[in-house]
Amino acid sequence: DVTTFAQVLQEANYATSYVGKWHLDGNEIPGWDTNVGREFGFEENKYRFNRGHWKYFEDVPNSDRVQEYNYTNSDLFENRYEKHFSTDFLFDRGIDFIKNSVRKKEQFALFLSIPDPHAPNEVRPPYDNLYDETFFKVPTTGRSAMTKDPASPIWQVMDLADRGRPDDLDEMEEFLDAFEKSDWWQDYMRKYFGMVRCIDENIGKLLNSIKGSGIENNTILVFTSDHGDMLMEHGKIDKGSPFETSAGIPFLIRYPEKIPASKVIETPSSSVDFAPTILSLMGIQHGLHFQGKDAIEALVSDDLSPIDYDKVIFSADYSNGRWVMAMAGGFKLVIGRTGAPWLFDLHSDPEEITNFIESPFHEEIKAKLQNALVEAINSNLIKFDIGNGSFLDTPKCIDELDILPLSSNQKYLCSDIGTKTSSTKCDKQRKIQIHCPDTCNICNEDSEGRILLPDGVARTCKEMDDGQWCNKRGKKFCPITCAKEEKGSEDFI
């Protein structure tokens, strides 16, 4: 019952086609058969598959079917890899559609969805060994996250547990050095960029075909993606994170007739902005209400670097519910089911290592994003289970996740006090008490700021004086207020 932008274009007499991965029809793998009766406005969809990461395709002779193959079947395509490798095959089918549309003098819209780069990291010759002489290092943010110096937020899941990642932080640097030199890591990265290079050259093939058809000046070209790959940034291999290397995706548009060259729009956009923006850019009239915002004014203006500081976009971890995010003007607020909130400033810290949540210079943007996030959660604009409460500001009674500030070279965390290292550190060292107030049991101060409580209301500790919300999360944020309420209840009893 959802009207897609392709259906709008069909009604405007456009020939429409979807080629490549669909991923919107349940669990069907590969799901060629689900295309019939579920076109969603894409009239030609023979080459649309639902799920799976196949590396080769071929048309079945004397049939309207397509056969998919895993990389283990690559020998079947020796001496004809470039005709059947998934990236080449899908680009060729897209080019065929464009040529047929031009020949028929039809207006057309093609959605070309390339599965790569994606695991399994395998690619056809010559891209499979194109980067064999390149040595890929583990990113700096990955090393800092894995060594907890400084640590990533609690919602950031560290990878490499299946690669022997040690629990002892003193062994982490040695482990990362060995991992960096491993055949697995080097092959993973070399094949990844081999896949990217294959896509890049196919894009060149597509551009040349459009130019050769004489339609380059009145054809809109959009290049985007569904997510990024972290490639060990912040200690993670793939996706599922609000960091830019996962959540930040390209949105490149070429349309010489209306969009000035070299324009860079600094206003953040989301995938829901695509439909209203592209239809507006094409001059298509419709009466539909889209959830996204139309960015046409920024696209066609003479300003080469427009930015709307008021626009806020949102994202969430819908798979596991670990975090939810609000972003505006190069600033990003992330809160989680547990742990302290994080405020990122992409202008001064593009690698997203520093938490600016307590910075006095960021109070205004912090409040703006906090309020926008609370409103979005309560209006169901984004899905997030608050649970027992989520911290909008940093609790006074919460341990730092970084390694302890010790004068020795030993690396311990707050959680190691009393087990791997002596509990006397809490008694004798003020800097340890400040670093680990919860572990050192010195939680004697209410937090400043607000906590988002299960009823969807953001409250300060003064607004919790009835004791109603003094659950485990509330006590951590307002230990003094909640202690008073508990004592008051005991005195009354």
Side-chain angles (χ1 to χ4, degrees):
D1 59 349
V2 174
T3 301
T4 69
F5 80 98
Q7 287 171 302
V8 175
L9 292 177
Q10 260 195 319
E11 293 174 2
N13 296 318
Y14 275 75
T16 57
S17 176
Y18 194 107
V19 175
K21 188 177 178 182
W22 178 239
H23 215 329
L24 291 173
D25 240 341
N27 297 319
E28 292 289 333
I29 301 177
W32 304 108
D33 296 333
T34 62
N35 293 334
V36 179
R38 294 178 63 80
E39 291 82 6
F40 295 101
F42 294 103
E43 182 181 5
E44 290 194 20
N45 57 24
K46 172 184 176 180
Y47 298 103
R48 185 181 77 187
F49 65 97
N50 187 47
R51 295 187 64 188
H53 294 284
W54 319 101
K55 292 297 181 175
Y56 289 92
F57 298 109
E58 69 174 346
D59 287 300
V60 178
N62 304 315
S63 169
D64 197 38
R65 292 187 56 80
V66 181
Q67 182 62 51
E68 71 284 347
Y69 298 89
N70 290 316
Y71 194 78
T72 52
N73 302 120
S74 58
D75 289 347
L76 297 174
F77 301 97
E78 190 174 359
N79 299 322
R80 54 193 184 112
Y81 296 122
E82 68 278 4
K83 294 294 183 183
H84 296 278
F85 185 68
S86 60
T87 298
D88 306 287
F89 182 88
L90 296 174
F91 264 98
D92 286 345
R93 301 295 78 75
I95 290 172
D96 289 343
F97 170 76
I98 292 174
K99 288 181 176 179
N100 287 335
S101 298
V102 171
R103 179 175 53 81
K104 296 176 183 178
K105 296 182 179 181
E106 294 177 329
Q107 298 180 108
F108 66 86
L110 166 67
F111 201 112
L112 182 56
S113 178
I114 304 302
D116 280 348
H118 199 289
N121 284 18
E122 298 290 353
V123 63
R124 71 166 175 88
Y127 307 104
D128 56 344
N129 56 20
L130 205 59
Y131 295 94
D132 282 358
E133 301 304 315
T134 303
F135 183 80
F136 290 91
K137 294 184 177 181
V138 172
T140 302
T141 62
R143 283 187 174 270
S144 62
M146 301 290 277
T147 58
K148 309 288 186 183
D149 188 21
S152 285
I154 196 169
W155 39 256
Q156 176 68 353
V157 177
M158 298 294 107
D159 280 337
L160 305 188
D162 59 340
R163 297 280 160 189
R165 186 189 71 211
D167 294 327
D168 192 334
L169 289 178
D170 287 322
E171 301 174 4
M172 190 61 73
E173 286 287 2
E174 183 179 352
F175 164 77
L176 289 173
D177 287 342
F179 173 76
E180 188 176 75
K181 296 174 184 176
S182 68
D183 291 340
W184 186 89
W185 168 249
Q186 293 302 322
D187 185 68
Y188 186 93
M189 295 297 286
R190 290 165 181 168
K191 296 290 179 59
Y192 181 92
F193 283 99
M195 289 186 284
V196 172
R197 181 66 174 271
C198 183
I199 293 171
D200 189 47
E201 295 193 359
N202 270 278
I203 290 173
K205 181 171 65 177
L206 174 66
L207 291 173
N208 286 335
S209 177
I210 289 173
K211 184 177 181 179
S213 297
I215 58 172
E216 63 174 329
N217 290 325
N218 65 339
T219 298
I220 302 172
L221 289 165
V222 180
F223 180 83
T224 187
S225 181
D226 54 349
H227 61 80
D229 273 330
M230 300 197 70
L231 305 179
M232 277 305 291
E233 293 281 356
H234 301 280
K236 191 167 176 58
I237 290 284
D238 48 16
K239 57 180 179 177
S241 169
F243 285 118
E244 286 297 282
T245 40
S246 174
I249 59 174
F251 191 55
L252 309 177
I253 304 181
R254 182 187 185 278
Y255 190 23
E257 190 174 287
K258 290 188 177 181
I259 302 177
S262 303
K263 178 187 283 284
V264 178
I265 299 176
E266 302 290 348
T267 307
S269 292
S270 181
S271 55
V272 294
D273 298 328
F274 173 82
T277 300
I278 203 68
L279 290 174
S280 185
L281 187 61
M282 296 172 73
I284 303 297
Q285 300 296 318
H286 62 86
L288 298 175
H289 171 71
F290 289 100
Q291 290 179 320
K293 300 290 181 65
D294 184 355
I296 185 64
E297 290 186 14
L299 280 175
V300 301
S301 71
D302 293 330
D303 187 351
L304 293 182
S305 56
I307 182 168
D308 180 358
Y309 288 99
D310 293 326
K311 183 180 179 182
V312 182
I313 65 170
F314 306 95
S315 185
D317 174 21
Y318 288 115
S319 296
N320 302 292
R322 294 189 304 265
W323 55 265
V324 65
M325 178 194 82
M327 182 179 182
F331 301 94
K332 183 189 301 182
L333 174 69
V334 185
I335 67 172
R337 291 286 303 277
T338 60
W342 277 66
L343 179 64
F344 297 100
D345 181 343
L346 301 181
H347 303 285
S348 60
D349 179 34
E351 290 193 330
E352 300 176 284
I353 292 178
T354 304
N355 189 0
F356 291 89
I357 195 70
E358 296 186 76
S359 164
F361 303 105
H362 293 75
E363 285 294 331
E364 184 177 350
I365 187 64
K366 178 180 74 171
K368 174 181 177 176
L369 294 177
Q370 286 174 333
N371 293 335
L373 202 51
V374 171
E375 182 180 349
I377 292 171
N378 285 326
S379 64
N380 291 317
L381 182 62
I382 49 175
K383 183 180 178 181
F384 182 66
D385 184 0
I386 302 169
N388 291 324
S390 293
F391 302 126
L392 294 173
D393 289 282
T394 303
K396 294 285 187 181
C397 188
I398 194 169
D399 289 345
E400 297 284 348
L401 299 177
D402 301 344
I403 57 175
L404 298 181
L406 301 174
S407 55
S408 67
N409 291 325
Q410 292 178 307
K411 296 180 179 180
Y412 295 115
L413 303 175
C414 291
S415 57
D416 295 328
I417 295 177
T419 54
K420 295 180 180 180
T421 187
S422 174
S423 59
T424 59
K425 284 183 169 56
C426 281
D427 303 325
K428 298 179 179 180
Q429 299 186 43
R430 178 58 181 162
K431 61 182 179 181
I432 299 298
Q433 294 176 356
I434 295 173
H435 197 79
C436 312
D438 192 17
T439 296
C440 292
N441 197 27
I442 58 164
C443 299
N444 54 8
E445 186 179 0
D446 278 349
S447 306
E448 299 175 1
R450 297 178 296 167
I451 176 176
L452 180 59
L453 292 164
D455 64 346
V457 177
R459 291 182 174 85
T460 65
C461 290
K462 290 182 179 180
E463 295 169 326
M464 291 174 60
D465 54 8
D466 60 357
Q468 180 182 0
W469 301 109
C470 285
N471 53 29
K472 184 177 181 181
R473 200 67 51 81
K475 290 177 181 178
K476 185 176 285 292
F477 197 75
C478 307
I480 303 304
T481 294
C482 287
K484 288 179 181 178
E485 293 303 321
E486 287 184 356
K487 186 176 186 303
S489 298
E490 292 172 0
D491 290 345
F492 179 78
I493 292 172

